[in-house]
Amino acid sequence: DGGITQSPKYLFRKEGQNVTLSCEQNLNHDAMYWYRQDPGQGLRLIYYSQIVNDFQKGDIAEGYSVSREKKESFPLTVTSAQKNPTAFYLCASSAVTGTQETQYFGPGTRLLVL
Amino acid sequence: GESVGLHLPTLSVQEGDNSIINCAYSNSASDYFIWYKQESGKGPQFIIDIRSNMDKRQGQRVTVLLNKTVKHLSLQIAATQPGDSAVYFCAEMGGGSYIPTFGRGTSLIVHP
C-alpha cells in the first residue's frame, strides 16, 4: 500500500524545546517537501529536497531544519528559534526532480505549543 | 486541520446541484495547474490537473477549465454530494519553477 505517512498526528511542544516531525514515503519519489498551513492561508514552503543528501530553503525556513539521509525519509525539526510554531505541517513528494510533477501529500501533523 | 477553512471564501450549495469553484492565478508564465481537495484535519488530495496547452479537462464528476487570457481556472463539480464538502485550492507551476504556488482555497459546504 503505497503512500506518504506522517507522524505523529498531534505533537505538543514546550517552550524552548526542539521537536521532530516524521515524513516517510514508499512511492520511490525523488523530491520531498515540507509546508506549513495556517488557518485561512495558502501553503507556505519551508524546505524541499530534490535528491538524497541535498535540500534547499523555502520561503519560511527560519527556525526549522531538515535532513535527507534516505530517499524515503525527510524529517523536519522545529527548533526553539521558531517563535510561532503552532500550525498544521504537511509533507509532500513528487516523482521526478526538475519537472512539472504533481505533489502528493501526507495526512499532516498538527503542532501545538504548551 | 479543523480550522483550515477559517476566513476562507465559502460556497454553499444544495446536494445535487453543480458547483463551480474559481481560482485566479498571478503568473502569466504558469503552464501547469492542479486542483486539490482538503477535508478537515487531513492532507490535501489531488483531484485533477491541466497543462496550458489545454483549456478543458474532465475527470469523474469534475471538470477543470483554464482561461489563460484572463489567468483564470475553475473547477466544476457535477451533482455535488455531502462528501464533497471540503476546502478546494488550486496550485500553479511554471515560468522555470518546479515548485507550485498554492492559492488560499475556497470552502465548499454541501447541504443535504
Side-chain angles (χ1 to χ4, degrees):
Chain A
D1 197 21
I4 304 173
T5 57
Q6 290 184 244
S7 62
K9 184 168 181 163
Y10 295 96
L11 186 57
F12 299 91
R13 192 190 92 164
K14 296 179 182 178
E15 201 161 331
Q17 185 182 40
N18 293 353
V19 292
T20 298
L21 285 61
S22 170
C23 178
E24 303 277 332
Q25 55 98 0
N26 61 3
L27 301 167
N28 199 33
H29 284 178
D30 287 330
M32 297 185 74
Y33 312 81
W34 273 106
Y35 292 92
R36 171 180 171 138
Q37 187 174 41
D38 293 281
Q41 295 191 31
L43 301 180
R44 292 186 290 168
L45 183 65
I46 305 173
Y47 268 98
Y48 65 102
S49 169
Q50 298 179 310
I51 196 168
V52 174
N53 292 323
D54 188 45
F55 48 83
Q56 289 78 40
K57 292 182 178 180
D59 301 319
I60 56 165
E62 186 174 349
Y64 300 97
S65 66
V66 292
S67 63
R68 186 90 186 274
E69 296 176 3
K70 298 186 299 182
K71 187 175 185 178
E72 306 79 30
S73 178
F74 191 41
L76 172 74
T77 296
V78 183
T79 75
S80 57
Q82 173 48 246
K83 297 305 179 189
N84 184 23
T86 297
F88 192 50
Y89 290 87
L90 288 159
C91 179
S93 69
S94 60
V96 180
T97 295
T99 62
Q100 290 178 338
E101 294 282 341
T102 303
Q103 290 189 359
Y104 294 92
F105 288 85
T109 292
R110 181 162 296 281
L111 178 60
L112 300 164
V113 177
L114 295 176
Chain B
E2 290 79 0
S3 57
V4 163
L6 194 64
H7 304 312
L8 290 175
T10 299
L11 175 65
S12 290
V13 300
Q14 290 296 128
E15 182 178 1
D17 287 352
N18 296 333
S19 302
I20 300 176
I21 300 169
N22 297 304
C23 177
Y25 63 94
S26 55
N27 187 355
S28 56
S30 292
D31 51 12
Y32 179 51
F33 305 88
I34 309 163
W35 277 102
Y36 289 94
K37 171 186 179 183
Q38 187 175 23
E39 297 176 68
S40 182
K42 297 183 179 179
Q45 176 185 2
F46 169 83
I47 302 173
I48 192 168
D49 60 358
I50 188 168
R51 299 194 183 268
S52 59
N53 61 349
M54 304 173 70
D55 54 19
K56 180 179 179 179
R57 190 163 188 221
Q58 289 184 293
Q60 187 176 16
R61 278 201 310 119
V62 295
T63 301
V64 56
L65 299 177
L66 175 62
N67 185 331
K68 296 180 285 295
T69 304
V70 295
K71 293 187 286 187
H72 183 267
L73 195 66
S74 69
L75 177 71
Q76 300 178 359
I77 305 174
T80 315
Q81 302 167 1
D84 294 327
S85 293
V87 172
Y88 291 81
F89 56 90
C90 63
E92 59 179 296
M93 198 185 302
S97 172
Y98 305 115
I99 306 293
T101 300
F102 294 90
R104 288 177 59 238
T106 296
S107 179
L108 175 65
I109 300 172
V110 182
H111 301 281

